[in-house]
Amino acid sequence: MMQHSTISSSMNSPALEIQNLSVRFGDAETGATIIDDVSLKVKSGEILGLVGESGSGKSVTCLAALGLLGGSWHTEGKVRLQSSHGQESMNSKQLISVRGRDIAMIFQDATASLNPIKKIGKQLTNTVIRLQGIGKSKAKQVALELLRRVEMADPEECLHSYPFQMSGGQNQRVMIALALAGNPSLLLADEPTTALDVIVQSQILKLISSLRNRTGMGVVFVTHDLGVVNEICDTVAVMYAGSIVESGTVQQIMESPRHPYTKGLIDSMPTLKGNLPDGIEGQVPAPKHRHWGCAFSPRCVKAESDCARSKPIRTVLDETHSIACFHPLTDKEVTKAPRTKVDLTNVKKNDDPVPLLFLENASCDYATRKGKFRAVSDITISLRFGESLALIGESGSGKSTVGKLILGVEASSEGKAHFEGKKVPLLGTAEHREFARSVQLIPQNPYLSFDPRVTIGAQIEEPLDIHRIGSARERHQRRNELLDAVGLTAAHGDRYPHQVSGGQCQRAVIARALILEPKLLICDEATASLDVSVQARIIDLLRELQIKFHLSLVFITHDLRLVRSVCNRVAVLRSGKLVEENEIESLFLKPQHQYTQELLASVPDIPAERKNRNG
Amino acid sequence: MSTLENIEEFEPQSRTGAILYTLLGAPTLVKIALGWLLIVFFVAATAQWIIPFDYQATSLLSRLLPPGATDLKGALHILGTDHLGRDVLSRVFVSIQITMLVAVFGTFFGAFVGSAIGLVAARFRGIVDDIIMVLVDFQASLPFVIIALSVIAVMGTGNMLLFILLVGLQGWERYARIARGLTLSAINHGYATSIRQLGAGTLRVYLRHILPNILAALIVQVTINFPETVILEASMSFLGVGIQPPNTSLGNLLSYGRDYLLNAWWMAGIPGFTIFFTTLSMSTVGDWLRDELDPTTMSA
């Protein structure tokens, strides 16, 4: 049984101290250890970044700290919170009284975390009444004050709004206000900015950090984005497969990571500089299939035979920096220069006067109940064969609509959309069938774009069947060639989509798109749902295929860091309008439009000098 | 993504093995229901060979014999005889055969027609969809028995094929609704969009991809609809507009037995219980199947 206790308050006492926390799920036979002997300390006024790929146990650690794991979960170890109450072990009833007052949590999807049928004012006031035990009218005042504290633009208006009337960023502010209602000494933030656009993300990060300064609360910031960590965290704990593999100050972790996993994560991060991200081979093992000994050893570049024999014990490098690894990186390895910027000049270009893709003053309207809504207007883009274009913008900027215009899913209501000098036919027409061979889409979620009931291999072959290309044997052979080209094996072809990992599934989607030998590939946030370590490898693959198959890419994304290594041109969209279009280097070095400058400034980036001191 | 197992351990399982495994894990009640249905279907398939007596042979000297009695010739009537001295067991067996014939063909006919209408509505949308949905609402607000009775009143009784089609059509509007709703959500689901994007035609998208994905819900609807079809057949026959003598069905038997309820309970009781247990079993299995086929309740 886990002991929850509170620590008598004093200035230097930690806001949260976790000692030897282990969490098991399920019974002895079928269950598995999710969290294995984790110890953490968060001081008051400190922001701890908890990083790692999905499946490494970050969120479960937070839930255990809140005492929210019940049912089939078994926890062991100590969780101590700072509180004005004396030191005592707590039962579940006492834990409820602690939640919200001493410890509060905010989640990734704020809109989904709020009650959709109650006005924000009511949700906030109720929470204030419950946590502070004050009257209704006074609670309303407090609620308003809280909304002011989270810098809500129009707090009075917000009180009378429903969550669906607000944007994701505003809702996240409301969530933070809710979390602050009980004046907690510790805030758990589980990927609170992952679903937000860069500019909003940067505002929320600033807000969290300023609240920390004002209230002196401790913050545990769960994220997979090391750029964000670099931006706001003081200390970092890197988790892998349920254990903390390395922890230290943000400077120590970012500048001289000693664990190969930490280094791998850092190298996976795309940067504004356009370094080619490296990625980590393999995937996080399921809890039941963790490797005996060091769980990371099967994926580790430095693994030796002793790594598999026993579990590495946490060793202290200096006062703040500790690591669990038998073969930490040496100084030389730490500063190994990253792969340099990609040379896209060897991509075959031709001087055909007819551009591959040409949008001229193209606009697109959607019919809504209130009439027409213009999603994009007056877009002019021209792309030559072999060139690649990045479409950048926040959600709602119309970047996906531009993708739809190019794909023929939507028809332009004004202006032209031409591909190879001919009008882009609309999806469902006879001409579109032929056109589909030249332009293909890689969507965001690979699992959604495959039929769950058909094997991956059969779906990769299907386009050939649709277009009646080749005999059954030729199709099969072609499918295997493509599986190989995207880094999968023929055996993956016999699996169903749910039987492969996200990265593998995205590779299969790419293979299917390539089997018709298209000239243009539209990647609509193609890596947004993947872990950074996997994302880096998919980007790598796309770049490789770009050269191998003479592909043009249209790369639709909100993440500016991704595009510099893959594209030659960038178009920045805002509210359906093209605000800036330029060669990629010119745009990154000298952004002309104010909005582009703002976007670039908001990106949580790892500065090159930090990532690579000597490089 | 995070909870994905290591891919290496995924052995392609044989489908029959998986089904057998699911069956073994079913609750006892479901196993009993499945057992009963198995018996019913066996009887339906082999009735003409396993009946002990000619089901139409009357014998006025051995009228209304109770179950287990022997007649004058010394022949044992396990379930007794009816008011014309016909063997109830034989009649029940033959009735099961006809009732099942009507219910099985009727149900599948209805499922096919209803689902097809639903798919058409989802494919064409607009005015086609509107008209179909108005018909669906119209149908849903009118008891089907009334429609069936009026059709029979016009067309006359005794046409077996017409009767099967008529009884089968009962419930078409629910198939149409389910098929339409699921197709509409599936068509905007990624896989349908992707396959269209690859240049696939309508038939491929709807029949090869969407239909298999919505089939589970339709199968569950079949198991809900099937007992209703049995009951509709019985009701129509009970009212005398269904299966006509010399053919017989469970509803017919029930209708004759009504007059002798006090002095020969077995005449109505036995076909009544057969209907009761068969429909109950089908519903039980249907409920269980719905849970088994529902992906949201499936363990990861």
Side-chain angles (χ1 to χ4, degrees), chain B residues 211-225:
Chain B
L211 193 59
N213 275 289
I214 67 172
L215 206 57
L218 292 174
I219 289 172
V220 170
Q221 181 57 33
V222 165
T223 64
I224 294 170
N225 199 249

Side-chain angles (χ1 to χ4, degrees), chain A residues 96 110 175 299 346 350 385 428:
Chain A
I96 289 173
M175 277 298 288
R299 299 172 72 187
N346 51 356
N350 66 5
F385 182 80

Side-chain angles (χ1 to χ4, degrees), chain A residues 299-333:
Chain A
R299 299 172 72 187
C300 184
V301 282
K302 290 204 73 186
E304 281 173 36
S305 57
D306 55 338
C307 293
R309 254 178 263 135
S310 59
K311 207 174 151 63
I313 301 158
R314 205 159 162 187
T315 45
V316 177
L317 296 178
D318 66 45
E319 207 181 322
T320 48
H321 200 172
S322 70
I323 178 179
C325 182
F326 291 119
H327 308 284
L329 299 173
T330 58
D331 279 339
K332 206 174 155 202
E333 284 165 324

